[in-house]
Every structure is written in structure tokens, then in C-alpha cells.
Amino acid sequence: MVPQVVDMPRGHILVLDDEPSILTTLQKALTLEGYAVDVAGGVKIAEEKLTKRTYDLGLFDVALPDGDGVDLLKRIRTAGTDMPVVMMSGHATVDAAVRATRLGAIDFLEKPLSTDRLLLVIENTLRLVRAEAEANALKTQTGQSSDLVGESRVMIELREQIARAGKANATVLITGERGTGKELVARAIHLASKRARSALEKMNCAAIPSELIESEMFGHEAGAFTGATKQRRGKFERASGGTLFLDEVGDMPLSMQAKLLRVLQEREIERVGGHETIKVDVRVVAATNRDLEAACKEDKFRPDLFDRLNVLPLALPPLRARREDIPLLAKHFLAIATKTNDRPGMTITEGGMSALAGYSFPGNVRELRNVIERLVILTPDDKVDESDVKRCLGTSAAPPPTGLFREGVPFRVLVEEAERSILEQAITHHNGQMSATARALGLERSHLYKKCRALGLRQDKAESDDD
Ligand SMILES: Nc1ncnc2c1ncn2[C@@H]1O[C@H](COP(=O)(O)OP(=O)(O)OP(=O)(O)O)[C@@H](O)[C@H]1O
Ligand SMILES: [Mg+2]
């Protein structure tokens, strides 16, 4: 007996046509070619199918008894879907063809269809879409430099954990202080998974006003609430087939926590104001810098949601717990900063390195990255030495995490600290160009120089390079 080989379909295609014989013929031909095919005899049925799953390609007739294929394409685009669609018609008007093309239809085929031509169009389209997705995945990989730098024992273990988490499909909970690399790890897990070619959607639960979180997560129908003029797909739908990164999940309001829990249990959502249930195939990776177990005890986080999220826990250590990685990371960020700031040939001396390695980095890897960038911009010569580092760290350690006020510190000192960090950030932001910085801050250039001198900020490089 010949063993039956079941392959993954080459793509899911939705065919919309009111002629039963065309539906049957196309379904047969496309299935033979290894595609998975769904057929719809009318616009309504097609719309229903579109809410149930994502398709790699749509093949739409124009004139149907219950509507118009071009109008359907328009609604799909309004909902934010960029599914490739090929139109086909027996008596296409130029107007319909122009509208369809404007809406991004891939092609407009005349009936009777040539199967060979149709297959070619489909194959080329899907190949293009895949190539684009791969290029995008690569871009996020390189652009965001998703390489995790570090050779300490914890980092080596972390890489193994990421590889394991990539193979699994279970929910991941990443915990760690600010700036320890939670987002980078979330991206690495996505890229290590089978979902790497699909979307990685990110939602920051702390940054969205609580009344908008539900629509952001689940989408909404037109008219669901004031301001909802169009139907909109939410993060869960957009991440379909891919990964949803729920950042700062510890800051999610309790009412939303209940809704998130339900989705994680049922794996289906309803858009706000909608009545349809939509199945979603999404892998959730959540992150927080809060102690969720403590939050559960204080009734700020639902223990049942915590259990659902904490299937694969990943705890990132603070940088001070793996100091041996500081020189590697410093070199890594130095290479980036010298390139972006056009200062080739800069190095950190041994003294500079040990000053860095001895510092506590309350802001973790992000702070180290910022310190190196500041050093590259503000150090006048090519060697970053111990005194450069100490000066830079002296001002970098300053901004306390909660507000500017600190008990017992005189007002004058607090204001000076704030001024110093504003000027430093502004100068760094403008690559050390003092004129641009002065303009951006609405200050006279001479006044800016005076301020810098008074606050002990260096402007040597800036003065010589500026004019
Ligand atoms: N191991 C690492 N190797 C290289 N770069 C890293 C590493 N860890 C973190 N970074 C970099 O440090 C910065 C902060 O990382 P990230 O945004 O992932 O931290 P986070 O934990 O999400 O911070 P927050 O809690 O503030 O959101 C980013 O620029 C990231 O690329
Ligand atoms: Mg983050």
C-alpha cells in the first residue's frame, strides 16, 4: 500500500462566484495543485467565511446577486486587511476594473478563465507575499538587532530557553526590571517559532487608556461607540497565525484582565459591538516589570489570569547580576553608536571599561546603551577613558524613577539636575550640534553655551564641529 502523504496546503484560497459550475471547476483545479479552497456563492457567505479565518488569497467575481465583489474588496481594505485579491469577471466594466485596481487588486481576469493563467497568477502572487514577509521578518531581526549579546551563564541559559519556547506554542510570561531586554526576548521567541513568517503584533497595556483597551485588543464594528466610524480589526485578529506581545501586562485594568482570560481559554473573540464569534490562532507572549504574584495578593491582578500567562515563565536578570556581560555589551553598543554618529575609530580604554563594569546600572541594558551613545557624542577625542565614563555616569545615574522630587535635596540642586539631563538629552538627540539644539529648545546659542558651562557639561566637540 502506498502511504498517504498529507502535505501542508500551499495556501488557503477563498473563491467567490455565483455560478456553481465555476466554483466546482476552480475548487477541483486548485485543490489538485495543493491549495486549500473554500467557496462562497454570494457576498454574504464570503464575508462570513472571512471572519472565521485568514486567507492567503481571494478570487472574486464582480457581479453577484447579493452584492458586488469590488465593494467586498473595499470593505476588506477598510478593515485593514491586505489579503491579495484577484478579480474575475465575464463582462467587466472599465469602471469596476479601475476601482478594483485602486483597491489593490492583484489582477483582473476575464472570463472564461484560462486555468493555466489563473494558476500562474496565484503562484506568483503567493510567492511575492511570502518573499515580502520573509524580508520583513529579516528587517525586524537586523534593524532592531534582535541578537541577544552576552556570554554569561544566565545569557547562555536564556538563549536555550528561547529556543525551547520557540518550539512550543504555549503562553510565555517574561519578567524583569526595566531595560533588561524583555521586548528583545519576546521578538526572539517569535522569530524562533514556526510563526516567524507571520505578524508579531505588540500591544502596550500601560500606554492605552483603559476605555480603549478592549477595542484595541478585539477590534470594533462600525458604530460600536462614538468615534467608531469604520469597522476595525483588533490586535488579536491582526496577530492571527503569528504572535501577540502583551507588554506591561501587569498594568492591565482588572475588567480587561477578565476578558483576556476568556480569550486565552476559549481562543475566540468578539469585536466590540459585534455579535459574531471569531476564532483566533494567536500565540501570546506577555511581559511585565511588576511582581505579579504580589499584585495577585493585593487583588490588583487576577490569579487565574496569572496562571494562564505563566505557563512558560522567563525571568530576565538585572544587568548588575551578570556584570561579566558589560564589556561585550559596551562594545556592541559602541559599534552601533560610532556608526550612527559618524565617529569611526572610537575605543573604550581598559580603565573606561572597568569603570563601566563597576557601575550598578539601575536602568539595566537600556541605560548602558544610552551611556555609550552619550559617551560617543560627548567625548572630544577617540579614547573613552575612566574619567569620561565617571563624568558621564555621574550625571546618568541621576533621574530617579518616580518623579523629580527627592526628600532632603534642595530645590536648586533638583532643578540643576533636571536642567542638566534635559540639555544632555537634547544635545545627544541633535548629535552634538549646538545650533540645532539651541533652535529646538528656543534658546539663544550663546545662552545654551553659558548654561552648559554652568552645569559642567562639555561642548568641546560641539563647538569645533558645529560651524
Ligand atoms: N542582551 C542584549 N543584547 C543586546 N541588546 C540588548 C540586550 N538586552 C537589551 N538590549 C537592548 O536594550 C534596550 C532595552 O531593551 P528592551 O526594550 O527589550 O527592554 P525591556 O525589558 O522591554 O524594558 P522596559 O521594561 O523598560 O520596557 C533595547 O535597545 C535592547 O535592544
Ligand atoms: Mg519593554
Side-chain angles (χ1 to χ4, degrees):
M1 216 172 69
V2 184
Q4 204 186 351
V5 180
V6 185
D7 278 331
M8 282 275 287
R10 297 167 68 194
H12 275 87
I13 300 180
L14 176 64
V15 185
L16 163 64
D17 203 301
D18 58 332
E19 186 112 17
S21 65
I22 292 194
L23 291 183
T24 332
T25 317
L26 287 180
Q27 184 161 38
K28 261 197 205 135
L30 295 174
T31 311
L32 260 178
E33 288 297 317
Y35 297 106
V37 183
D38 272 352
V39 296
V43 174
K44 269 230 169 64
I45 303 174
E47 276 189 306
E48 260 172 45
K49 293 198 182 283
L50 282 164
T51 59
K52 295 275 150 61
R53 63 157 303 131
T54 43
Y55 289 92
D56 299 303
L57 189 130
L59 209 52
F60 292 179
D61 188 15
V62 176
L64 294 135
D66 66 340
D68 182 305
V70 184
D71 287 341
L72 173 62
L73 174 58
K74 182 162 183 206
R75 284 198 291 281
I76 290 175
R77 293 292 181 255
T78 314
T81 311
D82 49 11
M83 168 173 99
V85 170
V86 174
M87 302 299 302
M88 46 184 191
S89 171
H91 31 78
T93 60
V94 173
D95 176 53
V98 169
R99 277 184 64 215
T101 314
R102 286 218 178 109
L103 291 165
I106 299 288
D107 212 332
F108 208 102
L109 302 178
E110 296 247 6
K111 285 186 195 167
L113 296 170
S114 136
T115 316
D116 284 348
R117 168 136 171 74
L118 180 66
L119 288 175
L120 199 69
V121 169
I122 292 177
E123 205 166 299
N124 285 342
T125 306
L126 293 182
R127 185 163 347 112
L128 209 74
V129 170
R130 287 212 177 104
E132 236 166 66
E134 266 167 58
N136 278 342
L138 207 66
K139 224 191 285 165
T140 23
Q141 212 171 353
T142 48
Q144 299 280 338
S145 163
S146 82
D147 293 336
L148 283 162
V149 176
E151 291 305 329
S152 57
R153 201 179 44 78
V154 272
M155 284 304 289
I156 292 168
E157 256 167 38
L158 182 65
R159 278 199 207 93
E160 284 164 8
Q161 280 176 305
I162 289 171
R164 271 199 297 277
K167 288 204 189 84
N169 205 25
T171 306
V172 181
L173 180 62
I174 308 170
T175 51
E177 292 179 10
R178 296 215 156 277
T180 44
K182 296 186 289 296
E183 185 160 353
L184 205 61
V185 169
R187 187 173 292 121
I189 292 173
H190 172 72
L191 289 173
S193 76
K194 279 192 296 222
R195 300 167 175 269
R197 287 184 184 180
S198 300
L200 168 65
E201 287 285 333
K202 173 186 165 179
M203 187 175 135
N204 186 329
C205 305
I208 302 166
S210 56
E211 65 275 18
L212 291 183
I213 291 192
E214 184 172 8
S215 131
E216 188 71 18
M217 276 211 289
F218 307 134
H220 61 248
E221 297 293 340
F225 48 85
T226 323
T229 50
K230 289 183 199 159
Q231 183 202 63
R232 191 160 174 271
R233 297 184 319 146
K235 291 286 184 190
F236 265 99
E237 265 183 272
R238 283 167 202 261
S240 189
T243 307
L244 176 59
F245 175 42
L246 290 176
D247 203 3
E248 321 277 5
V249 75
D251 296 78
M252 188 178 268
L254 275 168
S255 59
M256 279 314 300
Q257 291 178 23
K259 292 185 178 159
L260 175 61
L261 176 67
R262 226 192 50 215
V263 179
L264 294 179
Q265 285 164 340
E266 319 279 333
R267 297 283 158 182
E268 39 185 53
I269 58 149
E270 266 169 38
R271 298 194 189 116
V272 177
H275 303 293
E276 242 159 344
T277 306
I278 304 168
K279 283 222 164 304
V280 284
D281 165 30
V282 170
R283 203 262 177 99
V284 171
V285 175
T288 183
N289 56 17
R290 290 183 194 275
D291 179 350
L292 286 190
E293 271 167 297
C296 286
K297 287 196 190 105
E298 292 165 21
D299 292 330
K300 290 190 181 130
F301 205 85
R302 292 182 66 114
D304 45 6
L305 178 57
F306 173 69
D307 289 338
R308 277 273 163 190
L309 293 174
N310 201 34
V311 184
L312 292 177
L314 257 178
L316 303 193
L319 186 54
R320 61 185 172 281
R322 51 180 186 101
R323 281 179 198 280
E324 61 270 42
D325 283 337
I326 292 178
L328 268 183
L329 281 161
K331 279 188 199 135
H332 170 70
F333 293 131
L334 183 73
I336 298 174
T338 48
K339 208 176 257 170
T340 49
N341 293 289
D342 198 20
R343 295 211 54 184
M346 272 189 109
T347 50
I348 304 176
T349 65
E350 226 167 89
M353 229 17 136
S354 54
L356 282 169
Y359 176 61
S360 61
F361 288 103
N364 294 299
V365 186
R366 179 178 299 110
E367 184 180 6
L368 174 59
R369 192 196 63 190
N370 292 343
V371 165
I372 299 289
E373 170 134 50
R374 221 172 7 231
L375 280 167
V376 165
I377 291 167
L378 299 176
T379 307
D381 54 25
D382 276 356
K383 287 219 180 317
V384 178
D385 59 26
E386 190 179 342
S387 64
D388 294 319
V389 172
K390 289 221 162 118
R391 193 178 311 110
C392 192
L393 291 178
T395 50
S396 126
T402 50
L404 295 167
F405 166 71
R406 266 171 301 146
E407 189 65 51
V409 181
F411 180 64
R412 181 183 46 79
V413 176
L414 291 174
V415 171
E416 252 180 40
E417 274 180 12
E419 284 188 332
R420 190 180 292 120
S421 87
I422 290 168
L423 289 185
E424 271 196 343
Q425 281 173 29
I427 294 171
T428 307
H429 182 80
H430 290 282
N431 289 337
Q433 302 293 316
M434 297 302 267
S435 306
T437 309
R439 256 197 312 282
L441 293 173
L443 290 176
E444 289 289 340
R445 216 170 82 117
S446 55
H447 185 69
L448 176 62
Y449 278 122
K450 221 158 81 194
K451 263 276 163 222
C452 284
R453 267 195 298 276
L455 293 168
L457 287 172
R458 301 189 127 194
Q459 344 96 43
D460 335 29
K461 178 223 165 208
E463 260 167 336
S464 56
D465 280 2
D466 209 22
D467 295 314

